[in-house]
Amino acid sequence: LQPQNENNKKNSRVNIESPGEKISGSQRQWYQVLTARNATKNSTPQYILREESMKREMASWEYPLHFIDFETTSPAIPYYFGVSPYSVAAFQFSHHKMIRTDDGSVEVHHANEFLQTENGSNPNENFTKALFNAIGDVPTNGGTVFRWSAHENTVLSSLLSSSEISCLLSVEEHAALSALLNNGSHAMIDLCKLAQNYFYVDGSGGSSSIKKLLTPTMTVSSHLRDIYEKPSYNGKNFKDFQWFRRDTNGNIVDPYELLLQREDDSELSQNDRVAHGIAAAAAFHELQSNNHMDASERERLESSLLRYCELDTLAMVMI
């Protein structure tokens, strides 16, 4: 992604050649201009990575790497007795884990997940316990935990400051999870912030949203293509799944769109298939409030939630 000529470079008043620094807002805007210009020429999509800055960030990372994503809701009218309006209900998380093997290669697997949707049962206690079981050993045994944006830190901080949750956790459990918060000894790393500071890719519209970045990143990465173009991905909710697919025009299909096309969800309406966060909260609301839903319909909706959240943490791994 370079300006067409020196005159363009001068007129932009943007230093786009600072490989060791953060990508500024004005630089990101200029990259979007170049993306639009290149699109008219059918040029190959490109990306910008501040490689030296990323290497400095990565120097502090310790394997295994843990990628987590929470799904929550904060309804004005609580689902549970004794809960204040707009209190958080943490009903789901997904956890991918990346380990480094003895030969220096890495392996990724979907390590843990949690989903609680029973009517009238506040999930926060079981959520927090399950989260400790998944990543609570990091402060003791080592590793690095990643989140995407501030949401996970905000939710975990809220849960740990709740008297109801605090009294249910042991001192060791509370201390281990507290260590993952901002300013903790093993604070979670915000991948969204790293992407915002050091990464730009054609097709993202300048966004650092995980859903805006995933497909463009797959488009420019031969490494991801080599891994995911085969029907070989296996997680807790996918078997021999192929994430890297092309449409009839040769464009890579957004993996989140693949969630909407699954044949085993054929009895769910398009509105009930979960492929973004708002749909996840809506599905949870349906599971909490619809007393006429039969068991098979509940199972299909829960499966849709599980697949969506698993893709979120897999997307973090890919990016």
Side-chain angles (χ1 to χ4, degrees):
L1 284 169
Q2 296 294 325
Q4 299 299 311
N5 53 53
E6 288 298 313
N7 187 50
N8 285 342
K9 181 177 177 181
K10 179 180 179 181
N11 290 340
S12 72
R13 297 183 182 179
V14 175
N15 174 18
I16 69 170
E17 299 175 348
S18 51
E21 303 300 328
K22 296 179 181 179
I23 297 175
S24 68
S26 54
Q27 286 171 328
R28 189 170 290 275
Q29 290 174 341
W30 178 242
Y31 295 152
Q32 290 178 258
V33 171
L34 295 179
T35 294
R37 290 180 179 177
N38 291 339
T40 63
K41 302 176 181 180
N42 295 319
S43 61
T44 302
Q46 300 178 57
Y47 67 93
I48 293 289
L49 179 65
R50 294 288 193 252
E51 187 172 343
E52 293 305 317
S53 294
M54 276 302 304
K55 286 180 178 178
R56 287 197 295 271
E57 297 280 355
M58 294 171 68
S60 64
W61 297 0
E62 181 183 1
Y63 280 85
L65 308 184
H66 304 266
F67 304 82
I68 61 168
D69 176 72
F70 296 173
E71 298 300 331
T72 66
T73 186
S74 302
I77 302 176
Y79 298 117
Y80 319 109
F81 292 112
V83 176
S84 301
Y86 301 108
S87 294
V88 66
F91 60 88
Q92 182 177 14
F93 73 76
S94 174
H95 168 217
H96 269 82
K97 186 176 182 179
M98 180 185 294
I99 62 173
R100 186 179 292 280
T101 62
D102 292 338
D103 64 4
S105 62
V106 296
E107 295 179 355
V108 176
H109 65 281
H110 190 217
N112 295 283
E113 64 182 4
F114 172 86
L115 176 65
Q116 181 171 319
T117 63
E118 289 81 4
N119 287 358
S121 176
N122 191 329
N124 287 351
E125 176 186 348
N126 290 335
F127 176 98
T128 309
K129 287 280 190 177
L131 186 66
F132 171 78
N133 290 335
I135 58 174
D137 66 334
V138 168
T140 301
N141 298 330
T144 308
V145 181
F146 297 90
R147 53 184 167 87
W148 197 277
S149 76
H151 180 66
E152 283 70 26
N153 188 83
T154 301
V155 169
L156 183 56
S157 177
S158 175
L159 292 175
L160 293 177
S161 63
S162 163
S163 58
E164 292 83 358
I165 298 298
S166 294
C167 69
L168 294 171
L169 297 176
S170 69
V171 174
E172 293 76 12
E173 289 170 336
H174 194 281
L177 292 176
S178 296
L180 303 177
L181 297 175
N182 285 348
N183 301 318
S185 62
H186 288 72
M188 294 180 284
I189 293 176
D190 185 355
L191 282 180
C192 181
K193 185 176 180 180
L194 294 182
Q196 186 176 25
N197 287 340
Y198 308 126
F199 182 53
Y200 173 89
V201 61
D202 283 351
S204 64
S207 173
S208 296
S209 159
I210 194 168
K211 293 173 180 62
K212 293 289 187 181
L213 282 177
L214 179 57
T215 303
T217 300
M218 293 175 71
T219 300
V220 300
S221 174
S222 59
H223 181 63
L224 291 179
R225 181 190 64 219
D226 292 343
I227 296 173
Y228 295 106
E229 69 178 352
K230 307 177 187 69
S232 57
Y233 173 79
N234 290 284
K236 295 187 179 299
N237 305 285
F238 300 91
K239 181 176 175 57
D240 298 328
F241 198 78
Q242 180 183 353
W243 288 110
F244 197 102
R245 306 187 193 186
R246 297 186 183 273
D247 61 21
T248 55
N249 295 318
N251 298 315
I252 296 173
V253 178
D254 183 347
Y256 287 94
E257 287 296 318
L258 295 178
L259 296 181
L260 301 176
Q261 301 171 12
R262 288 180 62 90
E263 294 179 359
D264 49 358
D265 279 345
S266 59
E267 296 186 39
L268 286 177
S269 70
Q270 285 291 328
N271 290 335
D272 287 335
R273 301 184 188 193
V274 180
H276 54 79
I278 295 175
F284 181 74
H285 174 76
E286 185 75 4
L287 290 163
Q288 291 295 294
S289 60
N290 188 345
N291 295 322
H292 303 291
M293 188 181 299
D294 61 37
S296 61
E297 188 176 359
R298 289 187 68 89
E299 183 178 355
R300 288 193 296 271
L301 197 52
E302 289 169 352
S303 295
S304 189
L305 278 166
L306 289 169
R307 286 193 289 269
Y308 165 69
C309 201
E310 179 173 345
L311 175 54
D312 268 353
T313 49
L314 178 62
M316 294 170 67
V317 170
M318 290 185 184
I319 295 171

